[in-house]
Amino acid sequence: MTAEIDPERRLGALVRDNPEFASVFESVGIDYCCGGDDSLERACADADLEVGAVVDRLRDARSDGGDGTDDWDSLSALVDDIVENHHDYLRAELPPLERTVRKVVRVHGDDHPELHDVESTFLDLEDEVTHHIEDEEENVFPELERLEDETALTGDEEAQVRKAIDHLEDEHDAAAAHLERLRSLTDDYAVPEGACTSYRNMLDRLQLLEEDMHLHIHKENNVLFPDAQDRLAAAVAE
């Protein structure tokens, strides 16, 4: 029997158990990644949405072929998923998307001055995200995988892991703010009259970037980091 959708459950937990809910939250503008600790009821109230209507859409998404919980049987499996499906995507997509953004600004910037802000916001996002994923892979993810191996951490090492997680979550908030700014500047990625193919392509790819980064941040903020914190707490309790 399918579990009822509880409006008091946290957004992050809902998407963790029902990955197909992510697309619904995207479509109604609910932040399930950085706002994953908010309840569905609170998020709907903040967005001036009727919670019952959103629950109905979530039920529809579940019945339309959602496959339920993503089963990562280990921290390593989830880390591999994040690197292969999100970090590698960012490495492949950001440089060519930067070239497209610069081209569109060069051609259309006089008629659409907001594009200059799009360019500067995107460049800030690209720079921050590039350093962020390198830091995760080189310094943080290996430490999280040590928790899975039940390798004992010193008190200083444990404190460093907790500090690193807090820092990464702050960087996620900054990235989410850049994405929100891009959406605002482009009027929700609306295609202006007379837009060329490159302009349309840029808007489509910026929207895909936003959706992928929301899912990426969700997997870290609402799944990976809480699991790591639980392992740290259990180790201390022992």
Side-chain angles (χ1 to χ4, degrees):
M1 181 176 179
T2 302
E4 185 54 60
I5 298 168
D6 181 0
E8 295 185 2
R9 283 199 76 196
R10 296 186 303 110
L11 297 172
L14 285 168
V15 177
R16 176 175 183 159
D17 292 346
N18 305 271
E20 65 273 17
F21 287 1
S23 61
V24 175
F25 292 141
E26 289 284 357
S27 68
V28 298
I30 286 179
D31 174 15
Y32 68 91
C33 53
C34 292
D37 285 336
D38 287 342
S39 69
L40 174 59
E41 188 171 49
R42 170 65 181 273
C44 287
D46 289 346
D48 198 23
L49 297 169
E50 206 281 308
V51 66
V54 175
V55 167
D56 286 344
R57 292 190 59 177
L58 295 174
R59 287 198 191 99
D60 289 343
R62 180 184 276 169
S63 63
D64 283 346
D67 55 5
T69 303
D70 277 328
D71 267 333
W72 297 290
D73 58 6
S74 65
L75 288 177
S76 295
L78 179 50
V79 165
D80 287 345
D81 175 274
I82 290 167
V83 172
E84 293 170 8
N85 291 305
H86 301 289
H87 288 195
D88 288 352
Y89 160 75
L90 289 168
R91 291 191 183 95
E93 174 64 359
L94 289 176
L97 181 52
E98 177 189 336
R99 292 192 289 272
T100 299
V101 170
R102 289 186 184 276
K103 176 183 177 181
V104 171
V105 174
R106 185 172 65 252
V107 175
H108 296 278
D110 289 344
D111 293 330
H112 297 278
E114 72 279 0
L115 286 173
H116 295 286
D117 287 336
V118 169
E119 180 181 34
S120 62
T121 302
F122 174 81
L123 292 176
D124 286 344
L125 174 67
E126 180 183 25
D127 182 64
E128 292 172 14
V129 165
T130 298
H131 288 93
H132 176 87
I133 63 177
E134 290 175 355
D135 180 38
E136 285 187 328
E137 291 181 22
E138 293 175 8
N139 302 311
V140 182
F141 286 173
E143 292 300 310
L144 299 187
E145 290 175 313
R146 286 181 65 193
L147 296 174
E148 180 178 75
D149 296 335
E150 298 183 355
T151 302
L153 300 183
T154 67
D156 286 345
E157 287 173 333
E158 178 195 333
Q160 283 298 111
V161 171
R162 293 186 187 277
K163 182 178 179 181
I165 289 174
D166 289 343
H167 178 67
L168 293 175
E169 288 180 335
D170 287 343
E171 291 187 339
H172 288 165
D173 289 342
H178 287 314
L179 293 168
E180 185 176 354
R181 175 69 172 156
L182 288 171
R183 175 175 281 277
S184 175
L185 288 167
T186 59
D187 192 22
D188 292 341
Y189 309 109
V191 178
E193 184 177 352
C196 66
T197 300
S198 292
Y199 203 142
R200 293 170 180 270
N201 177 262
M202 179 195 74
L203 292 172
D204 287 343
R205 289 162 70 187
L206 286 174
Q207 185 167 11
L208 288 172
L209 174 68
E210 179 190 57
E211 292 172 359
D212 185 85
M213 287 200 65
H214 284 168
L215 185 57
H216 175 182
I217 292 171
H218 158 71
K219 288 178 181 180
E220 295 188 8
N221 278 16
N222 302 320
V223 187
L224 179 64
F225 295 161
D227 284 357
Q229 298 275 24
D230 286 346
R231 289 174 186 267
L232 286 170
V236 171
E238 293 172 1

